[in-house]
Structures are given as structure tokens and as C-alpha cells.
Amino acid sequence: MTGHLRAILLGAAVGVAMATGPAWAATVKVGVIGPFSGPFATAGQTFKQAVEVYQAMHGDSAGGNKIEFVYKDLDQANPAQSKALAQELIVKEKVQYLAGFFFTPDALAVAPLMDEAKVPCVIFNAATSAITEKSPLYVRTSFTLWQATVPLAQHVYKTGVRKVVTAVSDYGPGIDGEAAFKTTFEKAGGQVVDSIRMPLKSTDFAPFMQRIRDSGAEAIYAFLPAGPTTLAFTKAFADNGLKDKIKFFGPGDITQEPDLPALGDAAVGITTAFHYSRAHDSDLNRTFVAKHKEKFGNADTVTFTSVGAYDGTHLIYRMVEATGGKPDGAKAVEAVKGLSWESPRGPLTLDPDSRTVVQNIYLRVTERVNGALQNTEKETFAAQPDYGYKLGK
Amino acid sequence: MQTVLGIAIDGVAYGMILFIISVGLSVTLGLMRVVNLAHGAFAMVGGYLASFAAQSLGLPFEAAAAGAILLTVALALPLERLLYHRIYGSANELAQVLLTIGLTFVVVAGINYLFGPTLKRIPLPDYMEGVVNLGPKAIPTHRAFVIAVGIAAIAGLWWLLERTDFGVKLRAAVDDPAMAAALGIRTERLYAATFALGVGLAALGGILGAELLPLEPYYAIRYIVLFLAVVAVGGAGSVFGSAGAALALGIIDTAGKYLIPDFGEFFFYAAMILILFRWPNGFFQRRPA
Amino acid sequence: MNPHLRDAAGAALLAAAGLAAFWLFPEDLGLLTRIAATALYVLSLDLVLGYCGVATLGQAALFGTGAYAAGIAAVHLVAEPMVLLAVGGVAGGLMALATGALILHAHGLTLLMLTIAVTQIAHEVANKARWITGGSDGLSGIAPDPVLGLFRFDLYGRTSYLFALAVLVVGLLVAQRIVRSPFGLACRGVREDALRVAALGGSPRRTLIGMYTISGVFAGVAGALTAVSTGIVGLDSLSFSWSAEALVMLVLGGAGRLYGAIIGTLAFMAIHHILAATDPFHWMLFIGLFLMGVVLFAPGGISAAIERAAGRLRRAGARA
């Protein structure tokens, strides 16, 4: 073969390679909706920080496609506004994925848009089981109230407690938590003597504390959305002299790390069940926390919403790889079903059925270590699925 | 019986906090005929200044509180001269509502800019920490303190308005400004002094109530309806009316939340509607606000 | 110029501006639809505030009732958009009639508080009745049929916007007719001097209740329009802040002129959209200052400022 012919063939081969190779290095946009202002701004901040930490650790592209995150502020549970923001993200910003969502109502509202535009949604936080039932394109990397509460209720029974009062905020996740605890605890043989549902807006918990005291329970299961309301509730519990009389149990929202300094000694001794503690003893977690400190000066805000966002970003990267950066919602979700990976919180697997991660739930007690408060993991309940998915159907 | 006592005490404590914050609004509305929707903003500013003084400057509670109240009043007085002055008089109701809503928005934005969106606490002095045992019922010491301050405020205000020269002149100036001025009463100074009193009380309420109504930038907007309700139900301008309304609403709200927590939010507003039907001008008011 | 001609010209101008927006901002139709529906809502407030002088912070109760009524009907009964608007209008009107009869005897602060209380109670009812309203999760699953059987409601909002614009233009024309009618004049009479109206044999209270009911119909239609075009109804449609926003938008635009409601809504929502995207508190600061500025320096809002400028131009033109 003459050198001339070889050069032509080589040139042709290169030409063909260039034409069919990753010529589509277009940016994939992800729209993140979360609270970046208002009372829950810390949670939104953790979303953003965790995404940036993931990018610092794994680069900002997947499979040759650059991934760009667009953030929209939604400071409270407002489903109409959530839908409006999502519509704008899909139509104007042309995002291929939606992500974020601190509150359940906000996550639920975007289901029709997801289905019409075939855009998957990665839930960084919202914890009501029913969300993933509303569309096959939801995936969730946070937790659900059922997932955390079932092992907790079983544990409470094992400690010898027989009478419990539940006090939850009157909205989706709260009702889930109450149902999860009641079902599990009563199945084990215990008794839920009173179920109190508190209005979401409550600031004065004195009447509820009175009711808790009057219920004659040995222990309380409480759930409120992480942030100002939880703080007020836990303080009121201590201030009304209930701390020494009634054991305090709940999902880890009530002792999230950013609130611990403000709670102070009122938090010591509270037993929670949750999927993530900043004090989790693993190398990956230590790196995760250290990276936060390096990028942002301190790691004071690192909490469960951080890992929710971190692992959500991991899923987004895998989905972009699987679709080659092209918009194909169904293919993306199919590709990550059953995916297993190591997270700063422990091992995760995305359940192909409920599309919520199956993960370890840890039993923790809040205690002071070296002067600072932390949630120390005492026991592990391995590979807990979302028990609340498609209940009774 | 124990429960009834418990609810009563909790209701009184909640009511007293509402009273302390709201009585300033009753004063400005009733005595100066200004619908001051920015009242919550003044309470909030007082709370934030006290929190800053106590936490960042390390001042003891009493000094922080006193300083915050004085500073809030000092900040508010120029506003009275520049803004409120232009909209006195009951013909200007809508203008007052809108001006003060606008002012509230500005204060909310400013507080958020200066202090950030997270909750601020005011560290309590030792004598307010802990729990006070009133027989079978334990309430936080802080709330007992608030009840005491509330009673002192009621007594003090009554004495000020009914038994002092200042009170007499103020009531005269409100009843008939032209006549009062003709008699040599310096109405402008009186208004300024009354405004200062109203703002000072708001700031005090914001500081003492911070345990119950947490300090965050939206505070001014979130709770203004509560304060307005107390004033409307009690009758603008009446100290006893405000006290009565605050206690009534506080007890009804607490009792409702105890008995049927699910429907807790209804009781306050249902009570307000029913009371306003029976007494359209409030408990103690003869003429409309 | 013949006032009826002027009204028609105004409505035509609105339609033209609306269509121009459709061509100019094809990717922002969701926002434009919300502006159109909200303009109708603020227009409803102008009927009671601008023309009757009744200061209310309870307009959201009427809007929200219409929205939820239409939403619930859409999910369970019928999905024809025009019917849904009618359902919303009737619901809003009935709510206004019932509450108006109960509270419109009051004045000033008392009336204000009563309207707030009604709204809060409506909000709580919607919150508790989650089995039918969705509670805090919101009422979703509203899937309206295509308009006139032809134009489907889709993600891009083309149908929603043109539908909302059409409803707004029709609403404006109807409102114009009402305020120019003898009934409308009676309302203005009550606003100016209720005592005199009573002395002349009229019934101020009944007039007020009448206009309040009409305003409720408008607000209910606006609520239904929002439900149909966005496909979701949230508790925020029954919130105190939604009432307050309507008041702010109306005052910014100028009350008592109908078109002021539309200008105010457009200005407020456009500015909100631009500023809130960067930082919501910047928007609060701006709106707060703007509001204070309007009250102190330009009472009567944007429309009054426009009228003053137009008057000056006319005088300058006449002199030349």
C-alpha cells in the first residue's frame, strides 16, 4: 500500500471518528429548586455546598459532558410556585434534570411537568414515601419517614417502653412518621396512648407539652421539619420539665447538626434514628467533611441534607453518562435502578421498585464529645428499604 | 383540675407576651389614630439589637435589653418626624396601612442583610433559666417573669395615662387637637413622646417574647396579624382592653390547641370573629378605631 | 370622547399589548399567564376598594374559594375550562355574599380584622380538609380539556396564556360596564358619603354587599383561571399575604380606575420576577421603598401619575 493511500485512509478514519465521536459536548443543565432564603436557607445552602464538594472531588463533567447546575429559590412549602419554577427551568433554561426539593408539597407539584417533558427528578430531601409513586421519573437519595421510623419503633419496644405518645407536625412527612411509628409499635405489642398533630406554623408548644404530660406516656416520638420549629419544640420540651420524665425519640431531623449548638444541653440524651450523622466513622465521611472545611472555611452546616445532595449529584452524573448527555428521561432512570455505591453515610443501593435508596439506619444518641455536641452512632440497622412505598396497594 | 390550671397558666403566659408587644400598637393606634403595621418591625428590631448586644458584644441581659430599647426608640423617632407625621388622622387610613407595610418590608430586608436568615436567640440571665414549680404545674421561669412584667406594665400604663399630667394632656390632645393646642399643649411633642412609648413597649415585647416568637427576618410580617387582633379585640387605645383581649385570646388559643390540636389554628380566629361581632369596637372602646 | 368608546379602546389596547407579549416572550408564557390571571384578581379588588371605598385584606378568601372549587370540580366532575371558570365565579360570589352579609356592617380596623379572620379560617378549612383539597400538598391533577375542544393546555403555556388574556379582556369590558351603570354610580356614592345615600333612600349596606358579591365573582373566576392554567391550587391562594399583595399591586397601579389594577399587577410581578431571582430580600427592599414613595409622593399610583402627565401634555398642546 502506498504511503499516499495510507494517508488518505488515515485521514478518512480520523474524519469519521470526529464526526461520530463526542462532538455533542454540549452542557447538560440541572435545575435545583430549594430554599436559599428565609427560615430554611441553611438547608438550601447545604444543597449547594454539597454539589460543589462533589464537583471538587469528581470534576464537573460526566462522560465528556459538562454539567451545569442552575439554582432557583423556593423558601417555603408552596406547590404552585414550585411548579412555576420547574416550568421555567424546563421551558426557558432547558434543563434535562430537576433536583433538590426540601418540602414534600414542592416535590409533588412537579410530577405532571416531569411526565410531560420526560425530565427525571432527583429528590435531595423531601421525605414522604408517596412522592415516588406519583411519577416513574422520581429518584430519591435522601430518606423517608417510614424508612427511619420502623427500626426506631422496634428499638423503642425492645428497651421495655410500652406506652408512647406521638407528636408530629400536621403535614405529609409528619403524618407518615406517625403512621409508621404507630403501625410498627403496636404490631410489636406496645400502645400509642395519644397522637398529637401540631399545626405546621406553631410557635408556642406549651399546650402540646401539657397534653404530652397528661398522656401518661413513658416516651415520646416526635417529628417536625428540621430547623426553627424543631428547635422551639425541643427547647419547650426541656423548659416544661419533661426531659427527665419522658424519653425522647424521633427521626434525626430533630437533632440535625446545625441546630445542636443552639439546643445546647436540652439535646443531650435524645435518641434518634437516621441515615446520616456528621460523626459517622468512615474515611469517605471524613474526607467529605474535610472538603467542606477546605472550600467553605468550616463544616458547621454539614448535615443530612448535605449527603442527600451529594448522593443526588452522584446519580445525576451516572444518568448523564448513561444517556451520553442526551435528554432521555426513561433511559436515565433505568440506568441507575439497582445502582450501588459508597456514600459518606454508608453503603447505598437505589431500589428499582421504590426508587428511594436502600441504606443503613443508625441509632444515635446526642452527646457531648470533646466539648461539642454530636449524634453518636450506637447501633446499625442495615439495608433498610422504604417501608412506606405503596402501602396497602 | 390540674389540667385546667395548667392550661390557664400557659394561656396567661402566652397572653401576657402578646399583651406586652401589642399594647404599644394600641397606644399608637388609639391615642394617635395611626394604623402602624410596622409595629412588629419595631419589636423585631428591639429583639435583634438585644440579641446582638448580648451575643456579639457580650453584654449582660439587662444592659443589652435596656440598650436595645433605647436604641430602637432613637431610631424610630426620626421616622415619626419624617414619615408618620404626614399621615396622621383617620382620613388617611389606607395611606397609613400602605406606608407602614412598605416600612415593614424595608426593615425586613435590612435585618436580613445585617443579620442573616437564621434564628437569633437572646441568652437569658440565670434567674430566668429553669423551671418554676407552681404546685403541680411547672412553667419556665422566663414565662413567670413575663407575667410579672406584664402586670407591672398594665399598672404603670394605667397610672401614666390616668394619674399624670402627661396622660391628661395626651388624652386631651387626642380628643380635640385644635383645642388642646389652643390651650397651650404642645401636641407635636406629645405625639413624639407617645410614639416613643409605643415603640419602646414594642421593643420590650420583642425582647421578652423572643423565646416564644423566635427572631428571624420575617418576624415583622408573620406576627403583625396577631398584634392587630389583640388591638382590634381589646379596643384601640385601651390598656385594659388590650390586656383583656390578649389574655382572652391567649387562653382560648392555648385551650383550643390542648383540646383539639389538629384544629388548633381555628380557635384564635374564630374567637376573634365572635368577639368582634358582639363588641365591634373592642372590649373597652366606645368609639370606632 | 364617548366613555364607552374609551372603554373599548382601553380593552383593545390591552388585547394588543397582550398579543405583542405573546410574540415577544415565547419562553415566559407561564409568567405572563400568571400576570393575566392576577390582574383579573386585582381588578376584583378595585371594584370594592376603588369604587366602594371598602378597605379589605380578605380578597384571597374569594380568590381561593374559586380556585379550589374549580380545582375540585376539575378533578372529580368536569374538565371543560369554561364550565370550570363558571364554577369558580359562582363559588367566589357565594363566598362573598355569605361573608359580606356578615361583616360589611363594620368599618375601619374592625372590618380589616374581620376580613383577615375570614381568610385565615378559610385557609385552615382548606388545610384540614386534605382528603379533598390536598391540604398542604396542594390540589393537583387538574387536567382541563382543550379550550373549545381544539386548543390543548400544554407545558409551554401557549393555550393557557391566550385563554387567560381573553378572559382578562372580557373581564375588563364587563367591569367597565358595571362601574358605569347606575349601580356602579350608587357604589361611588356610598364611597363618598354613605349617610347622604341613606338619606336619599338608598341602602349603603345592601349596595356594598352587592358590589362585594360581584367582586367575589371576579375573584373566583381569577382563581379558577389560575387553577386551570397552572394545573395546581396551593394553600397560598388563601393566604393573608396574597390579600396583602393584591392591595399593594392595586395601590401601586392606582385604585378606582380599573386599568390601574392591570398596570399595577404588571409592574409588581415583572419587578418581582426580575429582582426575586437574584435575592428575595432585594425585592422586598425595593417594593417597600417603592410603596412608601408612592404613598408619600405619588398618591394614586402609576395611573394617577400617567394622568397627570397626560393632563400636562394636553395643556401644553392646547397652548401651542
Side-chain angles (χ1 to χ4, degrees), chain A residues 67-99:
Chain A
I67 302 180
E68 183 189 323
F69 289 85
V70 179
Y71 298 92
K72 291 279 181 197
D73 180 29
L74 183 58
D75 65 341
Q76 56 188 320
N78 187 337
Q81 204 190 345
S82 177
K83 194 170 183 185
L85 288 173
Q87 188 182 26
E88 206 182 299
L89 282 168
I90 294 175
V91 170
K92 203 159 183 196
E93 301 277 352
K94 306 201 181 10
V95 301
Q96 280 186 31
Y97 300 93
L98 288 172

Side-chain angles (χ1 to χ4, degrees), chain B:
Chain B
M1 190 54 217
Q2 192 172 324
T3 304
V4 171
L5 190 65
I7 294 175
I9 295 178
D10 280 333
V12 167
Y14 180 51
M16 272 305 178
I17 291 179
L18 283 184
F19 166 70
I20 294 180
I21 304 179
S22 310
V23 70
L25 181 57
S26 185
V27 166
T28 41
L29 178 56
L31 303 182
M32 298 165 65
R33 329 300 268 140
V34 175
V35 181
N36 182 18
L37 293 190
H39 187 81
F42 294 127
M44 180 170 85
V45 167
Y48 264 91
L49 288 174
S51 170
F52 179 72
Q55 295 208 306
S56 308
L57 301 179
L59 291 177
F61 179 82
E62 299 80 5
I69 294 175
L70 290 172
L71 188 54
T72 310
V73 172
L75 289 170
L77 275 178
L79 289 175
E80 194 267 333
R81 280 288 95 201
L82 294 169
L83 296 173
Y84 285 84
H85 194 60
R86 298 180 191 229
I87 54 167
Y88 284 154
S90 27
N92 262 331
E93 224 160 59
L94 192 58
Q96 294 168 2
V97 166
L98 295 162
L99 182 74
T100 49
I101 286 182
L103 180 60
T104 306
F105 280 2
V106 171
V107 171
V108 168
I111 290 281
N112 182 69
Y113 179 73
L114 291 172
F115 297 101
T118 51
L119 284 184
K120 292 284 177 274
R121 297 194 51 230
I122 304 177
L124 297 175
D126 288 333
Y127 59 85
M128 272 200 237
E129 292 275 16
V131 165
V132 145
N133 276 302
L134 305 171
K137 166 84 184 160
I139 59 168
T141 313
H142 164 262
R143 295 220 184 176
F145 184 77
V146 166
I147 294 178
V149 170
I151 296 174
I154 296 174
L157 281 170
W158 172 82
W159 177 82
L160 181 71
L161 292 171
E162 299 286 327
R163 290 270 179 274
T164 61
D165 235 19
F166 171 79
V168 170
K169 286 184 189 160
L170 179 61
R171 283 183 289 131
V174 167
D175 277 347
D176 195 338
M179 197 60 193
L183 287 171
I185 296 176
R186 310 187 64 160
T187 48
E188 304 218 324
R189 281 226 208 131
L190 262 181
Y191 280 165
T194 313
F195 190 76
L197 179 64
V199 169
L201 286 167
L204 176 66
I207 296 169
L208 287 180
E211 291 288 306
L212 188 73
L213 304 179
L215 293 170
E216 36 94 17
Y218 281 102
Y219 179 109
I221 298 171
R222 212 184 281 277
Y223 303 120
I224 190 62
V225 174
L226 285 185
F227 310 148
L228 284 173
V230 169
V231 170
V233 167
S238 164
V239 171
F240 283 124
S242 296
L247 289 175
L249 290 172
I251 292 176
I252 291 173
D253 185 65
T254 306
K257 288 199 167 121
Y258 175 85
L259 291 169
I260 320 177
D262 290 21
F263 291 88
E265 294 288 307
F266 280 105
F267 291 90
F268 187 90
Y269 295 103
M272 182 165 80
I273 293 183
L274 290 171
I275 296 177
L276 284 176
F277 263 130
R278 174 64 185 80
W279 293 279
N281 296 323
F283 280 153
F284 281 83
Q285 185 61 285
R286 271 142 283 136
R287 57 168 176 222

